[in-house]
């Protein structure tokens, strides 16, 4: 299921109890505790990382770089499956013929940077570098005509085929940076040639048109666009701090982003779009009530007495919340660099009551390394402006692992999928009682991340058309990535107005109603 469409409300006639199953990512930001994301990167040399160095020897002429933004993003976000198919010299036809094998019905996220070679962008750069202003105008005009008249159809074919191969994936089209400042002498070649400011502006205008067409076509098809132009502002090839290679040796990296351009330009631009998808643009439609959970004690004894929590629900919207039901989700945190702790859900107990009413025993269900306390067939109506106070009590019996835990409150309406709320997550420790030899599990230390090189471009060679081997596409490189890291401090969901991990990070909170019961199911997909 696409991340942006994950907060769906589904009604069904199923009979049974409430099952709450949440990802451990509910207790941490995505970066600190990554989801299992299957990511595929398609496109041309700007996506494969030509110019960034550190090429995968197995990628051959495609020159897929470990310093390219797709590799950096997959590594930083712990993608469970990374298919790197982008290739130097690729056109839209090359993507259709040679790169789609990287996709499957399990693919969650696709980046696609394509169109520049179709438009003859590098040829235009070469002509405008060495030719007159009139010659530059002629080549640029021809390129712009293709971009306007023919490229949208080609891009649509690519996006449609990606959608067919990966029907559940979010697709992010990635643009191109301006190559020149447009207001000073161009970068110098080995023969002393420089592009005039007038020709620089012509090339930049063509790049702007190319990005506009890519963005409009992608968004018309219901996809996303990552604009890199702002990130590269002040870092053109003829700037004081260039992130784009000047004419260089080897010649194919001329006018391509260096490793800084990939790391500081492309990566944050792409990441920002994925974060927007992840956080869920549809959260703006959520009018779940404000919920606050009282403070969890810093330490809870295993085998000790009940720990009491107060949950207050305030319906500040103008909507009637039908058959509202609250619950608790809790679990053991990921140790640094180690495996998650099995929380042993059958060793815990939870009860709740509305106001001063009778205690109701919650059913404890095991999720993905977490526990969820569900209220069975309970559900009430909360009118606009009305508040409801609940009391929960939690007990961790013998056999519960000692260590670091997280907990938060979660609630949803039986009748409206836009009425969803969670509280801020809290952290606590389960500890053995005095004299009990139980100890927390130990894990190896986390391996520090690999340092990304920060190379500087050279200025040694005349302009040469990049991507010298169009269409050459060795098999996509599949790279497993590291295990999730430990969670840290998090923010609350939209119900509190903050912008932390939010409901979409649980990715796919579906509310199933029927037979006097609820099912909260969480799908761990983008």
């Amino acid at each position: 299921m696409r991340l942006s469409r994950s907060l769906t409300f589904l009604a069904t006639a199923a009979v049974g109890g409430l099952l709450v199953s949440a990802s451990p990512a509910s207790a941490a930001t995505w970066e600190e505790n990554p989801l299992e994301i299957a990511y595929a990167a398609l496109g041309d040399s700007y996506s494969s990382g030509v110019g960034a160095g550190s090429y995968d020897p197995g990628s051959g002429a495609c020159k897929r770089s470990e310093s390219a933004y797709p590799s950096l993003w997959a590594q930083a976000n712990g993608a469970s499956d990374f298919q790197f198919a982008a290739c130097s010299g690729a056109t839209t036809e090359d993507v259709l013929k040679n790169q789609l094998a990287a996709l499957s019905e399990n693919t969650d996220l696709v980046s696609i940077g394509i169109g520049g070679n179709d438009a003859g962008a590098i040829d235009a750069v070469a002509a405008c570098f060495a030719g007159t202003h009139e010659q530059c105008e002629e080549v640029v005009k021809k390129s712009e005509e293709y971009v306007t008249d023919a490229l949208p159809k080609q891009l649509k074919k690519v996006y449609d085929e990606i959608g067919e191969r990966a029907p559940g994936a979010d697709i992010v089209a990635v643009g191109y940076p301006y190559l020149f400042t447009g207001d000073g002498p161009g970068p110098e070649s080995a023969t002393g040639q420089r592009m005039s400011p007038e020709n620089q502006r012509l090339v930049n205008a063509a790049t702007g048109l190319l990005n506009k067409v890519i963005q409009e076509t992608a968004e018309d098809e219901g996809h996303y666009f990552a604009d890199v132009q702002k990130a590269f502002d002040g870092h053109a090839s003829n700037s004081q701090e260039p992130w784009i290679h000047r004419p260089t040796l080897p010649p194919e990296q001329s006018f391509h982003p260096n490793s800084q351009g990939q790391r500081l330009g492309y990566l944050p631009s792409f990441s920002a779009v994925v974060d927007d998808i992840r956080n869920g643009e549809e959260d703006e439609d959520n009018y779940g009530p404000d919920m606050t959970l009282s403070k969890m004690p810093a330490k809870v004894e295993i085998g000790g007495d009940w720990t009491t929590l107060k949950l207050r629900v305030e319906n500040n919207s103008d909507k009637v919340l039908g058959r509202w039901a609250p619950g608790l989700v809790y679990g053991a945190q990921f140790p640094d660099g180690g495996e998650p702790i099995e929380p042993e859900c059958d060793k815990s107990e939870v009860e709740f009551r509305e106001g001063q009413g009778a205690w109701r025993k919650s059913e404890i269900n095991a999720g993905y390394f977490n526990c969820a306390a569900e209220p069975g067939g309970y559900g009430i109506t909360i009118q606009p402006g009305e508040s409801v106070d609940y009391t929960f009590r939690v007990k961790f019996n013998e056999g519960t692992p000692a260590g670091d835990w997280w907990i938060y409150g979660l609630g949803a309406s039986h009748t409206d999928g836009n009425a969803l709320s969670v509280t801020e997550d809290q952290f606590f420790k389960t500890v053995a009682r005095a004299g009990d030899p139980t100890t927390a599990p130990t894990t190896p230390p986390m391996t520090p991340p690999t340092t990304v090189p920060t190379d500087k471009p050279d200025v040694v060679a005349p302009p040469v058309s990049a991507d010298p081997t169009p269409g050459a596409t060795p098999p996509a490189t599949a790279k497993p990535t590291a295990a999730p890291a430990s969670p840290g401090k998090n923010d609350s969901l939209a119900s509190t107005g903050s912008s932390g991990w939010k409901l979409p990070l649980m990715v796919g909170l579906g509310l199933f109603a029927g037979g006097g019961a609820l099912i909260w199911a969480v799908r761990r997909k983008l």
Side-chain angles (χ1 to χ4, degrees), residues 178-189:
Y178 289 132
L179 300 181
F180 307 102
T181 62
D183 58 3
E188 185 177 1
S189 71

Side-chain angles (χ1 to χ4, degrees), residues 129 188-193 246-249 251 254-255 460-465:
F129 201 106
E188 185 177 1
S189 71
T191 59
Q193 292 175 306
R246 297 159 179 168
T248 64
L249 289 176
S254 300
F255 302 113
V460 295
V464 181
S465 178

Side-chain angles (χ1 to χ4, degrees), residues 62 290 300 302 330 420 508:
C62 284
D290 294 334
V300 177
I302 297 170
Y330 51 94
L420 306 167

Side-chain angles (χ1 to χ4, degrees), residues 53 70 138 141 166 268 445:
E138 182 179 354
K141 181 180 179 182

Side-chain angles (χ1 to χ4, degrees), residues 32-90:
E32 292 166 331
N33 191 7
L35 297 175
E36 293 182 354
I37 299 300
Y39 167 44
L42 315 180
D44 57 26
S45 54
Y46 280 65
S47 291
S48 72
V50 170
S54 302
Y55 304 116
D56 178 3
S59 67
C62 284
K63 291 190 173 294
R64 300 183 187 114
S65 171
E66 295 178 359
S67 298
Y69 78 87
S71 297
L72 298 177
W73 190 92
Q75 181 183 26
N77 291 276
S80 60
D81 179 30
F82 175 40
Q83 298 292 325
F84 198 3
C87 186
S88 176

